[in-house]
Amino acid sequence: MVRKVACIGAGFVGGPLGTVIASQCPDIQTAVVDINPEIVDAWNSDTLPLYESGLSEMLLAVRERGHNSVRGVSSNEGHCANGLTNCNLTFSTSVEVAIEEAEIIFLCIDTPTKSTGPGEGSALDITNLEAAVRTIARVAKTDKIIVEKSTVPCGTAGTLRDLLKNEANGACHFEILSNPEFLSEGTIISDLLHPSRILIGSEMTPSGRKASDKLAEIYRKWVPDDLIIHMDLWSSELSKLAANALLAQRVSSINSLASICEETGADIDFVSTACGLDRRITRAMLQPSLGWGGGCFKKDIFCLVYLARGLGLEEVANYWASVVEINEYQKARFLKGIISHMHGCVAKKSIAVLGFAFKKNTSDTKNSAAITLVRGLLAEGAFVSVYDPLVPESKILADSTMRLSKPEPGQLQICKTAYQACTGAEAVVVATDCDDFQTPSRAIPRDSSNLNLPPTLNSRHMDERNPGLNVHMRIHKPLDWRSVVDSMQGLKLIFDGRNVLDGEYLRGLGCRYVGIGKRVA
Ligand code: UGA
């Protein structure tokens, strides 16, 4: 029976993972640790370092349970935030203590693409991961199961095993497991609670298998046994990269077909539906867009490309690289389309961009297609007003102007509301699938009801108990497109970069609607 686990790294993976383990396994003491005191302080405050639907509710419930256990319900030790002294989830900078105490250590450390040296721009940088494993080697006094949780290059388990062999004193046994995360930003808690599968890669030895079973024991507390799949380390590590590459390939494929639709008059939404209804294809990841983004697709595909090149498989490397190339082409094509619809020139014209994150329900802008769009419009001399419900103003500003000569004064405006951004604009570009932007017939209510949280944990109830913890929670406020169109001027063009709007409805309001992969009426 596992009693103590540690998550090293309190970012997008470690924080939510630790919270879910603590929530689902009250008998397990979970320590989430990070060398960055700022992120730890944020986890221990009422303003969490990231917005994820259902996260603050779950965290509060764990803390609440800790609070009740002070009155004798549980004997777990630990120090929670908000003055609670007895809950099974802690966030701290005490990395060494957590390592010493834990039986299972999840490595939830960022592995960015290398920015210098061999593999620059394609290989993953595992420096921080290695540093954490060095600390484990130095500090551990008992046997440990070390779990690769964040994405790593294939073969990393072997590298870490060698590192431990060289640097640890040999007194304890280390078993490395690969247990990749398949978390999608915006639905991280739901993905953790209801995973499509849990992969556990281990060495095919009795001790490897034993460690794999021990980790499965934790997941079995909330995941059906048939979704927990045991395999070898290489297969598990490769599966993570392969899954992201295949997902990105689907979006790149539908976007490439969208360009054919635009030339021929076919409608990509029909094509996508027609293909997606094939039970072998399914409809997932077939929504055309101005280009996919996020911190993982590009990084993981480049990692795969680097691996293939290293293995001398040049054709395979080129095949996967083309998935990224088509995405860059799509982003450029979308910008070109806007310019062309605005009579070949956007200079001095006002354009509103709604949505700046790489997708809805997140404040993350990594590789967001909106960045390419806004930078491109600014470079062409347009006046751009940007609104995103979750991305901070400073982030939009930094991303939009990075590597650009300074825009003219007043050329870029970051707005507090969509209405402010659209007023006086000749064109409005919808760049994310944010529910707020959808036209009435397509609007989807936004709540956490799909998370299967206990009924008492609805957001209003949480707000009453702890308003501070929900500062990131937003009420879905659908945009009044009639007011938007009325406030626009000139060409009154609406570019739908995610095909989330109802073109007929918008045309009825008196504007021109341009979707991806659609004939312009
Ligand atoms: C992705 C994977 O979906 C997760 O399974 C994986 O765990 C994660 O990367 C990771 O490796 O950490 P994420 O990057 O959060 O998750 O985003 P997705 O929801 O997959 O979307 C990626 C991009 O594709 C977004 O820009 C999105 O708007 C775009 N997209 C998605 C489309 O343009 N069309 C679609 O049909 C779906």
Side-chain angles (χ1 to χ4, degrees):
M1 182 82 177
V2 179
R3 287 277 169 210
K4 289 190 177 182
V5 303
C7 300
I8 304 187
F12 266 94
V13 178
L17 174 72
T19 306
V20 168
I21 293 177
S23 157
Q24 303 300 306
C25 312
D27 295 332
I28 295 181
Q29 186 66 39
T30 306
V32 181
V33 289
D34 202 294
I35 49 171
N36 178 353
E38 272 171 36
I39 195 166
V40 168
D41 287 349
W43 279 105
N44 286 328
S45 76
D46 288 342
T47 308
L48 302 185
L50 57 117
Y51 169 79
E52 275 298 329
S53 185
L55 174 63
S56 58
E57 289 97 326
M58 186 176 274
L59 194 53
L60 198 63
V62 172
R63 287 173 180 171
E64 187 85 337
R65 196 176 56 199
H67 185 67
N68 291 335
S69 71
V70 172
R71 297 193 280 270
V73 177
S74 156
S75 60
N76 287 334
E77 286 170 15
H79 291 275
C80 238
N82 298 352
L84 303 180
T85 51
N86 207 26
C87 88
N88 68 329
L89 174 64
T90 58
F91 291 89
S92 77
T93 50
S94 307
V95 179
E96 298 192 359
V97 177
I99 290 172
E100 262 196 83
E101 295 187 346
E103 293 150 73
I104 298 186
I105 301 168
F106 293 91
L107 299 173
C108 308
I109 292 161
D110 203 21
T111 49
T113 303
K114 278 183 83 173
S115 53
T116 52
E120 175 189 338
S122 50
L124 298 184
D125 183 350
I126 61 165
T127 314
N128 294 338
L129 195 77
E130 285 188 340
V133 172
R134 279 204 174 89
T135 311
I136 297 174
R138 182 168 50 78
V139 167
K141 296 191 182 67
T142 53
D143 296 352
K144 306 284 173 204
I145 296 171
I146 301 171
V147 185
E148 295 170 348
K149 192 71 201 166
S150 37
T151 308
V152 294
C154 295
T156 298
T159 309
L160 299 184
R161 203 181 312 117
D162 291 347
L163 201 152
L164 286 161
K165 217 179 267 169
N166 293 338
E167 305 216 1
N169 61 16
C172 4
H173 178 76
F174 297 105
E175 202 63 50
I176 312 253
L177 299 178
S178 159
N179 171 222
E181 52 89 5
F182 295 103
L183 309 176
S184 193
E185 281 184 39
T187 55
I188 284 185
I189 296 297
S190 170
D191 293 344
L192 280 164
L193 286 176
H194 311 290
S196 53
R197 75 292 203 196
I198 296 286
L199 307 189
I200 306 182
S202 67
E203 277 207 87
M204 295 311 214
T205 57
S207 65
R209 189 63 206 200
K210 205 170 144 199
S212 176
D213 286 341
K214 215 161 189 188
L215 179 57
E217 209 181 277
I218 296 181
Y219 283 113
R220 260 187 234 115
K221 294 270 165 59
W222 75 94
V223 179
D225 203 24
D226 58 341
L227 296 183
I228 303 174
I229 304 164
H230 299 269
M231 58 182 70
D232 65 276
L233 284 160
W234 255 88
S235 301
S236 175
E237 289 176 346
L238 184 58
S239 297
K240 166 67 199 203
L241 300 181
N244 270 355
L246 287 167
L247 292 173
Q249 181 208 45
R250 285 175 71 92
V251 185
S252 277
S253 298
I254 205 73
N255 282 344
S256 77
L257 292 167
S259 67
I260 296 180
C261 289
E262 282 166 33
E263 295 302 319
T264 57
D267 185 321
I268 193 66
D269 285 347
F270 286 138
V271 177
S272 172
T273 305
C275 296
L277 285 173
D278 185 322
R279 277 187 286 272
R280 295 163 303 175
I281 298 176
T282 81
R283 299 186 72 163
M285 306 301 279
L286 285 187
Q287 176 74 15
S289 62
L290 72 165
W292 49 259
C296 304
F297 280 3
K298 193 170 171 184
K299 175 174 92 122
D300 291 358
I301 291 176
F302 278 159
C303 187
L304 198 59
V305 168
Y306 184 71
L307 174 69
R309 285 231 158 92
L311 296 169
L313 304 169
E314 199 58 29
E315 286 79 1
V316 177
N318 293 342
Y319 173 74
W320 287 109
S322 73
V323 172
V324 178
E325 277 159 28
I326 282 287
N327 194 48
E328 296 305 318
Y329 166 75
Q330 179 73 354
K331 291 193 253 177
R333 203 172 68 82
F334 185 73
L335 174 65
K336 231 167 110 187
I338 294 176
I339 298 170
S340 144
H341 280 288
M342 297 185 81
H343 309 309
C345 173
V346 291
K348 309 266 184 249
K349 293 180 185 166
S350 296
I351 300 177
V353 174
L354 301 185
F356 195 77
F358 80 97
K359 64 173 186 180
K360 71 176 177 183
N361 292 351
T362 178
S363 58
D364 191 349
T365 62
K366 256 180 252 118
N367 297 312
S368 174
I371 299 179
T372 314
L373 172 71
V374 172
R375 285 187 194 168
L377 291 172
L378 290 174
E380 291 289 323
F383 289 102
V384 184
S385 340
V386 183
Y387 166 73
D388 188 290
L390 293 172
V391 184
E393 185 174 333
S394 55
K395 184 82 185 115
I396 298 178
L397 198 64
D399 284 345
S400 303
T401 52
M402 208 200 312
R403 276 185 266 127
L404 257 196
S405 53
K406 258 195 162 166
E408 301 274 314
Q411 209 193 336
L412 174 66
Q413 199 194 351
I414 320 295
C415 299
K416 298 245 178 298
T417 67
Y419 301 105
Q420 191 192 352
C422 297
T423 300
E426 284 203 47
V428 171
V429 187
V430 171
T432 67
D433 48 349
C434 176
D435 294 338
D436 295 6
F437 305 151
Q438 309 204 355
T439 38
S441 57
R442 299 214 176 174
I444 306 157
R446 182 163 182 269
D447 59 28
S448 336
S449 55
N450 60 338
L451 296 177
N452 291 346
L453 291 166
T456 48
L457 297 180
N458 64 58
S459 48
R460 182 173 304 157
H461 187 64
M462 303 303 289
D463 281 342
E464 282 161 8
R465 285 190 299 177
N466 190 342
L469 198 57
N470 287 294
V471 287
H472 289 299
M473 290 197 69
R474 296 183 56 256
I475 309 292
H476 171 57
K477 285 192 215 115
L479 197 59
D480 175 359
W481 276 99
R482 186 176 294 280
S483 305
V484 168
V485 174
D486 286 349
S487 74
M488 292 172 71
Q489 59 165 0
L491 294 168
K492 293 204 178 190
L493 274 159
I494 296 187
F495 295 96
D496 185 357
R498 295 278 162 171
N499 281 9
V500 286
L501 307 177
D502 181 341
E504 280 304 311
Y505 173 79
L506 289 170
R507 277 185 213 110
L509 298 180
C511 59
R512 272 187 93 202
Y513 169 81
V514 185
I516 305 249
K518 285 172 179 292
R519 182 196 290 276
V520 181

